[in-house]
Amino acid sequence: MKRFALALAAASSVLALGACSNNDGGSEVIAETKAGNVTKDEFYEAMKDRFGKDVLTELVHEKVLSEDYKVTDKEVDQEIDNLTQQYGPQFEAVIQQQGEKTVKDMVKVDLLRKKAAEKEVKVTDEDTKQYYETLKGKVKASHILVEDEKTAKEIKSRLDKGEKFEDLAKEASKDPSGQNGGDLGWFGEGQMVPEFEKAAFALKEGEVSAPVKSEFGYHIIKVTETVKPYEEMKKQLEADVKKQKVGQPDAVQGALDKALKEADVKVKDKDLEDTFKAPEAAPAEGQ
């Protein structure tokens, strides 16, 4: 989130750049003042000095990746919804400060990068089997955490009437996982408080518990997945492992490096010409 916010700030702040001086260079004037004019050349140089590499990187990535990958408006809107649910007011403030169009442009580029990484990442049988071994003795569960028993019973009643667990978690849970539908991922024995653990491991897949009291409040727990035979889980295991790999910075950077090399990117501005050059490796100790 921090990297994303910084990139948005860089992209949008170029609109506010400019140096006040006389119009000596013959460039088109874009702002006039009694103290002197601001020209397009001055504006460009200020933009380049402060944010040039960041902005150029975003523009080139979008141009290159859009040749092979497509991101729809629907996908952008969905990702913005996801980020809003995940970060709440923090992300909404970014949208308000930077503008909806700037945010959508940045989200689009991030999705293009993700699609490039997804294409390049490979998942082997060994990968899925190793991951499967780590799940043995675990369950995957979600929960809704509230302050008091009365509220917990009200939530359970609403669930019994057919309301969605994920929706109620986002609405009512005081745990940070609520923004993600209450999802806690996979966990094994000894990772949760005893009351929670006992209730969770007593549930079958898809079952929802009665309110469970712990030192944190009252939990309503839903076991969303249990470990089944490998072949039954293989497809989901592959998807999970691929998602994990795509989330690694090296995977995204590797896909970007390949795409930029194939696109034969050449930066003509001498001040920005090293934007896409890989940093030189540090010399080995003793050399």
Side-chain angles (χ1 to χ4, degrees), residues 146-164:
V146 295
E147 294 280 358
D148 57 83
E149 186 176 16
K150 179 182 177 182
T151 304
K153 287 181 176 179
E154 290 173 354
I155 295 293
K156 181 62 167 64
S157 177
R158 292 172 65 181
L159 289 168
D160 291 341
K161 292 176 182 177
E163 293 194 47
K164 290 185 178 180

Side-chain angles (χ1 to χ4, degrees), residues 201-214:
F201 279 92
L203 295 170
K204 296 179 181 178
E205 186 172 314
E207 283 188 330
V208 177
S209 73
V212 175
K213 185 180 180 181
S214 79

Side-chain angles (χ1 to χ4, degrees), residues 130-149:
Q130 287 180 350
Y131 180 53
Y132 180 72
E133 289 299 316
T134 69
L135 300 182
K136 290 184 177 179
K138 297 182 179 181
V139 296
K140 187 176 183 181
S142 298
H143 80 143
I144 300 171
L145 177 63
V146 295
E147 294 280 358
D148 57 83
E149 186 176 16

Side-chain angles (χ1 to χ4, degrees), residues 6-7 10-11 50-59 113 272 275:
L6 289 173
R50 301 185 194 186
F51 304 108
K53 289 186 178 181
D54 290 332
V55 175
L56 182 60
T57 297
E58 295 296 320
L59 293 173
R113 291 171 179 148
L272 301 174
T275 299

